[in-house]
Amino acid sequence: MSINRIISGASNVKGGNNPPFTLIDFSNMYPQFFDNEQKPLIPTPMMNAYLEMAHATVKESRFHKTWKVCIGLYSAHFVTLYLRSMANPEDEGLAVAAKGVTKGLVSSKSVDGVSISYDFSQVSNDLNGWAAWEQTEFGSEFATFSKLY
């Protein structure tokens, strides 16, 4: 057995090349991220960057037959986070900045007093573990698969 194989097994790092997974593949899995003309709802360079990140991170050699699902979930997670942060370019600076603020979980609401409370403990505690992966359904699913594999 070669030393590279021993190190690879001990580190649990999987390498190798992935089969193609393109913008078209992603749009077929997640049409909600595209308009009626199949144009991404976020800037195309960002969409492509997320797909490149997914290819570098989500390896078929690790996820095997669930690879296509996992690379889709990974990409959908980051596109969702990007969409949450999108603001109108004509908005004032504070409104644009507010779109990039971390979202907490709603912990309580009031109707007449128009009060709402957020719990940020889940998000901040997770910085030691899965961080932002629990901020979207796609990320939670991806984290679940990652823990399995």
Side-chain angles (χ1 to χ4, degrees):
M1 183 178 276
S2 76
I3 188 72
N4 289 338
R5 192 174 229 186
I6 293 169
I7 292 170
S8 175
S11 69
N12 200 24
V13 173
K14 302 288 185 184
N17 294 320
N18 288 334
F21 186 83
T22 65
L23 197 57
I24 293 169
D25 295 320
F26 185 67
S27 72
N28 288 334
M29 289 177 78
Y30 296 99
Q32 67 265 38
F33 296 120
F34 296 82
D35 66 16
N36 292 335
E37 297 162 7
Q38 291 302 302
K39 184 179 176 219
L41 298 180
I42 69 171
T44 302
M46 283 306 302
M47 184 71 83
N48 288 329
Y50 289 139
L51 291 176
E52 288 173 17
M53 282 175 29
H55 267 290
T57 307
V58 183
K59 295 297 184 183
E60 184 188 39
S61 60
R62 172 170 306 285
F63 293 99
H64 308 289
K65 292 184 185 228
T66 61
W67 171 78
K68 194 174 255 188
V69 170
C70 291
I71 200 167
L73 289 169
Y74 181 102
S75 302
H77 168 74
F78 281 103
V79 172
T80 300
L81 291 178
Y82 190 97
L83 284 168
R84 278 168 138 186
S85 69
M86 284 181 68
N88 186 338
E90 285 91 43
D91 284 349
E92 303 248 343
L94 289 175
V96 172
K99 292 298 254 175
V101 173
T102 299
K103 309 292 188 276
L105 300 172
V106 175
S107 61
S108 67
K109 295 187 245 185
S110 298
V111 176
D112 290 337
V114 189
S115 175
I116 190 165
S117 298
Y118 293 95
D119 178 7
F120 289 93
S121 65
Q122 184 70 28
V123 174
S124 61
N125 287 342
D126 270 358
L127 291 176
N128 296 327
W130 288 90
W133 290 108
E134 292 187 7
Q135 288 190 20
T136 71
E137 292 301 317
F138 307 110
S140 293
E141 286 183 58
F142 178 72
T144 300
F145 278 107
S146 294
K147 287 178 180 182
L148 289 172
Y149 287 90

